[in-house]
Amino acid sequence: QAEAEAATRAQQAAEAQAELAAVREEREAAEARAQQLQAEITAVRANLLESEEAQATDRAVRAEADAAMRALEVSDAQVELAAVRKEKQASEAREQQLQVEVAEVRLNLFQAEEAQALSNKQRLELEEGLARSQGEAEEARA
């Protein structure tokens, strides 16, 4: 009976050792899997960091492009404003020139009217003088 108990114990010890070996193998496999998962997590984090850096670079480039476009739009607006101001100055200069021309025409018309009035007065005086002379000549003949 002691031998049977010893054999049972030996068998139980062998089973325990086999179980322990299996547990160790499972533990080693789990540790290897944990290391593999840790490596994958590190790779994912590195990719995420690269992606975030790429996004930050992309945002910076877009912001710079937007700023350049706004500067170009401002520049275009300034060019248009300068052109409008130049056109306005040219228009004002033309308006002043036209006002001078209108004043000259009015002056010429006024001078022509004065000359006409003077001419009419002189003609009347000449006609009166001629009528007097004719009247005097008729009186002298009579």
Side-chain angles (χ1 to χ4, degrees), residues 65-77:
D66 288 345
M69 287 300 291
R70 282 191 297 275
L72 184 60
E73 289 170 358
V74 167
S75 176
D76 287 347

Side-chain angles (χ1 to χ4, degrees), residues 14 17 19 31 41 43 55 62 64 69 75 83 88 91 94 102 107 109 117 121 125-126 141:
Q17 284 192 353
E19 236 180 90
E31 286 175 357
I41 288 171
Q55 288 176 358
R62 287 184 187 196
E64 191 175 328
M69 287 300 291
S75 176
K88 181 181 176 190
S91 175
R94 180 65 183 141
V102 166
L107 178 62
L109 181 60
K121 182 180 175 186
E125 289 175 355
L126 286 175
R141 275 187 235 148

Side-chain angles (χ1 to χ4, degrees), residues 11-28:
Q11 184 180 356
Q12 287 175 347
E15 286 174 2
Q17 284 192 353
E19 236 180 90
L20 183 60
V23 167
R24 284 183 184 153
E25 281 181 24
E26 285 179 17
R27 182 175 166 218
E28 289 173 2

Side-chain angles (χ1 to χ4, degrees), residues 4 6 10 18 20 22 31-32 48-49 55 58 66 68 74-75 90 92 94-95 97 100 107 114 123 128 130 132 134:
L20 183 60
E31 286 175 357
L48 181 61
L49 182 61
Q55 288 176 358
D58 184 51
D66 288 345
V74 167
S75 176
E92 288 172 351
R94 180 65 183 141
E95 183 179 347
Q97 178 63 34
V100 167
L107 178 62
E114 281 189 340
R123 185 176 47 82
E128 288 175 0
L130 181 60
R132 264 186 267 122
Q134 286 177 348

